Amino acid sequence: MSTALNTQLAATFKAACLAELEALKPGNVHIFADGHGMNVEQFMASAEAAAQQIAKPNLGVGQRILNAVIATQNAVGLNTNLGIILLCAPLIHAALNRQHIDFNKDLELVLQGLTTQDAVLTFEAILLANPAGLSRVSQHDVYEPAQCTLLEAMQIAAPRDMIARQYAHYYQDIYTFGLPCYQHYLKVWQRPAWATTAVYLSYMAHYPDSHIVRKHGEIAAELVQNLAQEHSSVFLQAYNPKNYLMPLLRFDTDLKSQHLNPGTSADLTVVTLLLHQIQLI
């Protein structure tokens, strides 16, 4: 039977997913525009389906990931949220097993305690979701039976994947970059959706997007990163962010016309929103 905390965290996860959809995120799916053969309704259904599984009691991290991916596939039959689930499952598990005032310590304990079984289940989830650009690798290949803990697998993948990097570095990019950015612009603008756009653009500008690298290569990812830097340098200085709406919509159209989706930047944005809310619980 679910406890009040399980229910609260499921609702918090769903709220973070929906809040990200309400923000204008150039190149990604949002309420201003669909894209890449997917629509907002599918992402909303995915958030609902995953939320029902990811915070259930008495599960390990790997099982949370697999159950949420299965639920998503059953709901929409698409990979709409694998990165989100991978990033959010350890946070939810840490929040359910909280022992310290400093939540970061609980998250570190969860990551350090990840097992080979967590890796087995997560590899199964990744194959089920079948993310674009998934390729064979020489070490800890998801197409092979896991012979390591999930943390060890993520540590090997970290140099090429921003989601794996969060596991390997205990989510320091979220803590030291994304979360302060969100909280700053939330205070300045008093508009959660625009603060979310600020986080998304900042991730795009600061890091080459792993999803674009996998699908289109490093040169394309660097081009998108440079464009994001140009837009964010203007947008983040705006007194009223709404005044920069049209340039962002044009940027959105341009990226989608070239099939460039900064999906990892969107995933990092969701986990930033989730961490912000978990710290308020």
Side-chain angles (χ1 to χ4, degrees):
M1 180 179 293
S2 295
T3 66
L5 182 57
N6 294 106
T7 302
Q8 184 179 14
L9 286 168
T12 301
F13 169 81
K14 178 181 174 181
C17 295
L18 297 181
E20 180 254 0
L21 291 172
E22 292 174 0
L24 203 174
K25 305 185 311 299
N28 199 247
V29 175
H30 46 80
I31 62 171
F32 294 87
D34 300 330
H36 312 292
M38 297 178 287
N39 58 52
V40 170
E41 289 74 18
Q42 289 168 326
F43 280 81
M44 293 174 66
S46 300
E48 174 68 33
Q52 293 178 14
Q53 298 295 328
I54 200 167
K56 280 193 170 182
N58 306 317
L59 298 178
V61 171
Q63 195 68 61
R64 294 185 192 285
I65 291 169
L66 179 57
N67 289 2
V69 168
I70 290 172
T72 299
Q73 290 295 313
N74 289 339
V76 299
L78 295 169
N79 173 27
T80 47
N81 60 6
L82 174 63
I84 291 170
I85 292 168
L86 289 172
L87 285 168
C88 292
L91 268 70
I92 289 173
H93 194 80
L96 287 169
N97 298 276
R98 194 157 188 176
Q99 303 175 40
H100 301 90
I101 295 175
D102 182 358
F103 179 72
N104 194 24
K105 291 182 179 179
D106 290 306
L107 180 58
E108 287 184 14
L109 287 174
V110 167
L111 295 170
Q112 291 166 359
L114 292 171
T115 65
T116 300
Q117 182 64 10
D118 288 317
V120 169
L121 296 170
T122 300
F123 284 15
E124 183 179 345
I126 292 170
L127 291 175
L128 179 61
N130 192 27
L134 183 64
S135 60
R136 302 300 297 256
V137 295
S138 61
Q139 193 171 8
H140 303 325
D141 192 329
V142 298
Y143 291 98
E144 303 292 338
Q147 303 292 330
C148 61
T149 70
L150 182 55
L151 180 60
E152 289 168 342
M154 292 297 190
Q155 288 169 335
I156 292 296
R160 65 178 184 272
D161 185 89
M162 278 297 292
I163 291 172
R165 174 184 162 108
Q166 303 320 307
Y167 279 70
H169 296 282
Y170 302 108
Y171 287 62
Q172 285 308 296
D173 294 318
I174 312 301
Y175 273 102
T176 64
F177 182 76
L179 189 60
C181 177
Y182 177 73
Q183 292 172 341
H184 171 75
Y185 287 101
L186 186 60
K187 181 178 179 180
V188 169
W189 290 332
Q190 300 292 308
R191 295 290 185 273
W194 284 118
T196 301
T197 298
V199 172
Y200 173 79
L201 276 178
S202 295
Y203 279 131
M204 282 179 66
H206 201 69
Y207 306 100
D209 190 275
S210 300
H211 186 263
I212 294 177
V213 172
R214 283 197 306 273
K215 285 195 69 176
H216 302 282
E218 294 181 0
I219 293 176
E222 183 177 346
L223 172 62
V224 172
Q225 183 181 8
N226 290 338
L227 291 170
Q229 290 171 352
E230 293 176 10
H231 283 283
S232 65
S233 66
V234 179
F235 174 72
L236 297 179
Q237 299 301 317
Y239 174 76
N240 182 353
K242 189 175 180 180
N243 291 337
Y244 202 69
L245 174 66
M246 294 310 299
L248 290 181
L249 287 173
R250 287 193 292 269
F251 186 28
D252 180 61
T253 300
D254 290 344
L255 289 177
K256 288 171 179 172
S257 69
Q258 300 175 69
H259 308 291
L260 295 169
N261 178 9
T264 303
S265 299
D267 298 337
L268 294 170
T269 300
V270 174
V271 77
T272 301
L273 300 181
L274 178 64
L275 180 58
H276 174 75
Q277 291 301 321
I278 284 177
Q279 290 187 333
L280 299 177
I281 294 175

